[in-house]
Amino acid sequence: MTRPAVMVDLETLGKLPTSAFTSIGACLFQPHTDWIGETFHMHVSLENADRHGLTKDASTQLWWMGQDDSARNTLINGQHDAAPLITALEAFAAFVPHEADIWCCGASFDFPILKYAYHVIGMKEPWEFSNEMCLRTLKKLNKGARIERAGTHHNALDDAVHQAKLVQHIFQLNPDMDS
């Protein structure tokens, strides 16, 4: 097997690197195959995020109010069993293989938010900066590459799995592409 990859997605209450996030979703995958492996999904306590100084903005909260019932319910109901920030970040760090390429859909969004959260708890992020990969860029370079959507939009785990499958689809369209 080649080097592992991780797709990560956050559901946030803001757009800044200091933003609070309500959940982390991730999956192991291999870009050049159809393999989706182990998954990770953990809700993060907003009360605990507040205590760590993570921020929220009104425009994002209003945006959440306009999302469909299943997305809003996942956000709200996830707070019932939400973990403290440090617990969620330690669990995510244990999930990520150190040598893995780590992907997200927007390197200027998810990565800075996660890095700031790790900084706040006094921990280094569990990946090498040189292994950061951006699905948004890959999509722009492969206009028209689409796959059917499964799962709930704005559910961190469903989004991460969908995004990993889209990376795989794009790599299948471009077999000479290197990850």
Side-chain angles (χ1 to χ4, degrees):
M1 240 196 209
T2 60
R3 187 159 97 181
V6 175
M7 179 64 75
V8 63
D9 186 72
L10 301 176
E11 298 306 330
T12 72
L13 290 179
K15 297 176 282 302
L16 297 174
T18 58
S19 293
F21 46 95
T22 63
S23 62
I24 306 171
C27 65
L28 297 176
F29 76 107
Q30 298 227 324
H32 293 285
T33 71
D34 289 331
W35 181 78
I36 301 284
E38 186 179 349
T39 61
F40 177 91
H41 191 215
M42 189 169 278
H43 296 280
V44 179
S45 165
L46 288 175
E47 287 181 21
N48 188 260
D50 278 345
R51 286 195 283 277
H52 285 283
L54 299 184
T55 61
K56 302 176 210 78
D57 69 55
S59 66
T60 304
Q61 291 176 60
L62 289 169
W63 177 85
W64 272 108
M65 292 162 112
Q67 298 310 301
D68 69 24
D69 289 343
S70 59
R72 279 194 325 274
N73 288 338
T74 299
L75 179 98
I76 294 164
N77 294 334
Q79 288 301 298
H80 298 302
D81 65 348
L85 181 65
I86 191 167
T87 302
L89 292 175
E90 286 175 343
F92 182 64
F95 174 79
V96 175
H98 182 72
E99 73 281 5
D101 284 335
I102 185 161
W103 288 78
C104 68
C105 190
S108 63
F109 186 75
D110 299 89
F111 291 144
I113 292 171
L114 274 171
K115 286 179 181 184
Y116 182 78
Y118 275 107
H119 170 77
V120 163
I121 66 163
M123 192 175 167
K124 185 187 178 316
E125 63 274 4
W127 66 86
E128 295 297 323
F129 76 93
S130 57
N131 292 349
E132 294 176 359
M133 309 294 272
C134 180
L135 174 56
R136 183 184 300 152
T137 301
L138 189 63
K139 287 191 310 188
K140 285 192 184 249
L141 294 171
N142 291 273
K143 292 190 185 304
R146 302 273 185 270
I147 60 172
E148 189 172 330
R149 174 64 197 226
T152 300
H153 286 276
H154 310 302
N155 170 300
L157 178 57
D158 290 350
D159 287 352
V161 170
H162 174 75
Q163 291 163 189
K165 289 179 178 183
L166 183 55
V167 168
Q168 292 170 330
H169 175 69
I170 291 170
F171 272 71
Q172 287 170 2
L173 293 173
N174 301 284
D176 295 331
M177 191 181 303
D178 193 19
S179 57

